Amino acid sequence: MAARTSTPEKRPGFFSQLRTLYTFTQKEYRWLPFALAGIVLAGTGLGVLVGFLIPPVAVWSVILWGVTGLLAGILVGMITMTRLSTRAMYRRMDGMPGATGHVISSSLGRNWQASETPIGVNPRTQEAVYRAIGRGGVVLIGEGSQTRLSRLVNEERARVQRVAAGVPVTVFYVGHGDGEVEIKNLASAIKALPKKVDRTTQAAVIKRVSSVSQGLSSLPIPKGVDPTKMRAPRPR
């Protein structure tokens, strides 16, 4: 029997992650290098200006403030690039099957329980319904046409209300039409729901709803979003 290797899997280093983040973001925003250069130069110039304005003016003081401005510019540039990478990720995911599952499973935080796996799928169109449970109650999210998903949504709503009476059920549809929520705003819209369920009730609702959810082992799961590729890595 071959001996098991004890060497842990090597993770990308800080600069490798930073380079990947830059490449990912620059594909969507071609002007990124000019913006980052401008931010760094502006920070350095502001630092030098502060060095000249604060008496007594000395060479070492100007240099020190210049270096401080440079570091501040680099920090602001990294924050800007991180935020732009998030926007770029949502732009690429918009309209892709499975994007909703990726967002609710990775962006809602510990106060919500959700899965990338849909709770209902239209086998013909691959449109799907997802579910999240948290302090704001039960949220059903339709990824596709409201008309074609209405039956699946209504069935799941009735199922939840049957086992968790009194718990609010909110329905969102992902899209760009009237009454729909864009994928980039989905997580914030869910987290903005008023807290009407305590933690004990939330745990009970999760258990009850999970026990009556229909099995999806035989249903085709929407493909299209690979979270390992779509998520822009962030520097540690």
Side-chain angles (χ1 to χ4, degrees), residues 2-227:
R4 293 183 178 180
T5 177
S6 59
T7 304
E9 182 181 356
K10 186 176 180 181
R11 299 184 60 184
F14 172 79
F15 291 104
S16 176
Q17 292 186 26
L18 190 63
R19 183 171 58 253
T20 303
L21 179 68
Y22 173 83
T23 303
F24 175 85
T25 310
Q26 199 266 338
K27 288 180 179 179
E28 290 292 327
Y29 301 100
R30 296 295 183 182
W31 43 264
L32 179 65
F34 304 102
L36 295 180
I39 291 173
V40 173
L41 289 176
T44 304
L46 182 61
V48 172
L49 178 62
V50 172
F52 277 107
L53 293 178
I54 297 180
V57 178
V59 175
W60 63 267
S61 178
V62 174
I63 294 176
L64 180 61
W65 278 105
V67 172
T68 302
L70 172 64
L71 296 177
I74 293 175
L75 177 61
V76 174
M78 291 181 64
I79 294 174
T80 301
M81 185 168 63
T82 300
R83 293 185 175 180
L84 287 175
S85 71
T86 301
R87 292 174 57 183
M89 180 187 69
Y90 282 123
R91 286 177 61 174
R92 292 193 183 186
M93 291 173 59
D94 195 6
M96 297 181 66
T100 298
H102 173 54
V103 170
I104 65 174
S105 64
S106 61
S107 303
L108 293 183
R110 295 181 297 176
N111 291 328
W112 289 85
Q113 190 267 349
S115 172
E116 283 191 84
T117 304
I119 58 173
V121 179
N122 185 323
R124 184 173 59 85
T125 64
Q126 297 292 290
E127 295 170 320
V129 177
Y130 296 82
R131 180 182 62 223
I133 303 176
R135 301 290 300 280
V138 178
V139 179
L140 304 178
I141 308 103
E143 185 181 74
S145 168
Q146 297 188 34
T147 302
R148 291 190 293 267
L149 288 175
S150 60
R151 181 181 63 83
L152 287 174
V153 170
N154 291 333
E155 288 178 353
E156 183 61 25
R157 189 207 303 267
R159 187 179 295 111
V160 171
Q161 292 174 339
R162 185 170 64 251
V163 298
V167 175
V169 179
T170 306
V171 178
F172 290 116
Y173 285 92
V174 176
H176 298 275
D178 294 337
E180 296 179 337
V181 179
E182 294 185 29
I183 189 69
K184 65 180 181 180
N185 300 325
L186 178 60
S188 58
I190 294 176
K191 290 189 287 188
L193 292 173
K195 297 179 180 180
K196 297 184 178 181
V197 177
D198 57 40
R199 295 188 182 279
T200 302
T201 304
Q202 177 185 348
V205 171
I206 292 173
K207 185 176 181 180
R208 294 175 184 175
V209 172
S210 298
S211 66
V212 299
S213 293
Q214 60 183 352
L216 294 173
S217 56
S218 61
L219 294 178
I221 303 303
K223 303 295 183 180
V225 173
D226 183 348

